[in-house]
């Protein structure tokens, strides 16, 4: 059992906390407001209640896990953490500020991980030079309690010891980790997000409807979920941020975000999280409205 501190109680942060919690770790989930922490606990409670309903967990076990989950709005909650993972907004300056603060709080052998989907782990490591070798990327996929993949991404400064500890930890959670040397978008998003971008271009050009694009890719390319449903699930604000990172880091025009992606973000049509994207949902995080 490790003492784990998860920074961020949003959808991904809560689910990552849940993964550690259900695998026997001592978990503290930290966010900036009590209501954010409460929302994260509600997300975890809903997931565990579903497992009880499906008879994959007892009510007693659910209550035991929830009783053991700690929340806090104080960064000092990480003072004795062995493994810290940040799951905060995808803004480098916010991540650096958090890491530099935690550098003063955490023991020297604490491993620092980021769940970033595209930002540079090397740049994060450089902001904590005294423990840059302890920085690693551990990119879970949505929904984190179900999806098996974790991209374990080395910064140029990451030590072999840190990498192996993080890799083994992810495997112990029932995940399938893959080893990644840092590059823009890592592996999955470097392939997936430009595919979503291209799918948006097909819709914008009037070649096919969003539903038909997804059906075509499901039945013609073996995708479980089409690119536009997947884009709605990820969130178009996140998709745009990743495309901008790919474009900025590589300078390659093939990674330029499609204007339709920008337009949807400006409209607040972010996908499942807002209740509307390429498809409509019965409220934020609701079920799709089939027309």
């Amino acid at each position: 059992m490790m003492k784990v501190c998860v920074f961020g109680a949003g959808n991904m942060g809560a689910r990552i906390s849940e993964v550690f919690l259900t695998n026997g770790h001592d978990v503290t989930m930290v966010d900036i407001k009590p209501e954010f922490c409460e929302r994260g606990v509600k997300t975890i409670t809903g997931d565990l209640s579903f497992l009880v309903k499906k008879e994959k967990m007892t009510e007693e076990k659910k209550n035991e896990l929830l009783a053991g989950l700690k929340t806090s709005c104080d960064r000092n909650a990480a003072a004795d953490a062995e493994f810290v993972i940040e799951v905060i907004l995808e803004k480098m300056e916010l991540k650096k500020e958090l890491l530099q603060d935690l550098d003063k709080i955490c023991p020297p052998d604490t491993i620092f991980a980021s769940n970033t989907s595209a930002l540079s782990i090397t740049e994060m490591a450089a902001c904590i030079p005294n423990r840059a070798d302890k920085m690693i990327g551990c990119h879970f996929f949505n929904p984190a309690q179900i999806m098996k993949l974790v991209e374990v991404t080395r910064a140029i400064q990451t030590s072999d010891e840190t990498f192996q500890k993080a890799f083994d930890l992810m495997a112990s959670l029932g995940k399938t980790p893959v080893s990644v040397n840092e590059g823009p978008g890592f592996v999955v998003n470097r392939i997936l997000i430009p595919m979503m971008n291209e799918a948006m271009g097909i819709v914008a050009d009037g070649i096919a409807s969003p539903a038909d694009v997804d059906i075509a890719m499901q039945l013609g390319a073996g995708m479980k979920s089409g690119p536009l449903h997947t884009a709605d699930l990820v969130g178009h604000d996140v998709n745009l941020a990743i495309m901008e990172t790919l474009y900025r880091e590589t300078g390659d025009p093939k990674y330029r975000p499609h204007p339709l992606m920008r337009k949807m973000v400006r409209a607040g049509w972010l996908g499942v999280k807002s209740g509307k994207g390429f498809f409509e949902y019965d409220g934020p995080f609701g079920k799709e409205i089939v027309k």
Side-chain angles (χ1 to χ4, degrees):
M1 182 182 78
M2 294 183 73
K3 289 192 174 182
V4 176
C5 202
V6 179
F7 280 82
N11 187 47
M12 284 299 291
R15 261 56 188 269
I16 290 170
S17 297
E18 179 183 330
V19 170
F20 280 103
L21 189 68
T22 55
N23 281 276
H25 296 285
D26 182 350
V27 181
T28 302
M29 185 169 61
V30 182
D31 213 318
I32 56 175
K33 293 182 179 180
E35 54 264 38
F36 293 168
C37 291
E38 290 165 13
R39 184 180 61 194
V41 172
K42 184 178 179 181
T43 297
I44 296 169
T45 303
D47 288 346
L48 298 185
S49 295
F50 179 77
L51 293 177
V52 172
K53 183 179 178 182
K54 292 292 183 179
E55 298 183 346
K56 294 183 177 180
M57 180 180 288
T58 65
E59 185 73 24
E60 292 75 20
K61 182 63 175 178
K62 181 194 88 170
N63 293 334
E64 178 190 329
L65 290 172
L66 291 172
L69 174 64
K70 296 182 283 294
T71 62
S72 179
C73 295
D74 184 356
R75 291 179 176 178
N76 286 296
D80 59 350
E82 298 167 83
F83 186 88
V84 170
I85 182 166
E86 68 80 15
V87 198
I88 65 172
L89 290 174
E90 282 285 84
K91 293 184 178 180
M92 181 61 81
E93 63 272 19
L94 294 179
K95 294 182 186 294
K96 285 183 178 179
E97 188 273 330
L98 173 61
L99 291 167
Q100 288 171 334
D101 206 14
L102 292 175
D103 187 29
K104 302 167 189 171
I105 293 169
C106 296
D109 56 351
T110 301
I111 292 175
F112 284 6
S114 173
N115 183 59
T116 183
S117 51
L119 297 178
S120 172
I121 306 297
T122 294
E123 186 174 344
M124 293 181 208
C127 84
I128 45 171
N130 293 330
R131 66 165 93 219
D133 63 312
K134 298 288 196 301
M135 188 75 215
I136 190 89
C138 290
H139 180 215
F140 289 74
F141 288 78
N142 188 19
Q145 81 281 18
I146 295 171
M147 298 289 277
K148 292 294 186 184
L149 180 66
V150 179
E151 292 176 324
V152 182
T153 304
R154 291 175 181 261
I156 197 171
Q157 306 96 320
T158 306
S159 69
D160 289 344
E161 181 185 8
T162 296
F163 172 82
Q164 199 60 53
K165 283 183 177 178
F167 192 91
D168 292 345
L169 177 59
M170 295 303 110
S172 76
L173 299 174
K175 302 301 183 185
T176 300
V178 294
S179 174
V180 181
N181 289 317
E182 184 195 307
F186 312 142
V187 175
V188 172
N189 281 330
R190 185 156 172 177
I191 298 168
L192 181 63
I193 302 295
M195 180 174 65
M196 295 174 181
N197 198 52
E198 192 66 31
M200 293 177 196
I202 288 172
V203 171
D205 290 346
I207 296 170
S209 70
D212 284 346
V213 167
D214 277 7
I215 290 168
M217 291 303 290
Q218 285 174 286
L219 301 184
M223 292 186 70
K224 187 174 181 180
S225 174
L228 297 176
H229 272 103
T230 304
D232 272 2
L233 178 63
V234 174
H236 298 297
D237 51 343
V238 176
N239 298 331
L240 179 59
I242 295 171
M243 279 299 289
E244 288 179 328
T245 297
L246 288 168
Y247 187 37
R248 182 176 63 250
E249 291 286 325
T250 65
D252 192 326
K254 73 180 179 183
Y255 295 120
R256 185 168 53 236
H258 195 282
L260 179 56
M261 189 186 291
R262 293 190 188 280
K263 192 184 295 184
M264 291 181 73
V265 171
R266 286 169 179 158
W269 296 0
L270 305 181
V272 176
K273 70 172 76 175
S274 69
K276 182 176 176 62
F278 283 98
F279 306 92
E280 292 186 17
Y281 308 87
D282 60 357
F285 298 104
K287 291 183 179 180
E288 182 185 351
I289 300 170
V290 180
K291 294 181 178 179

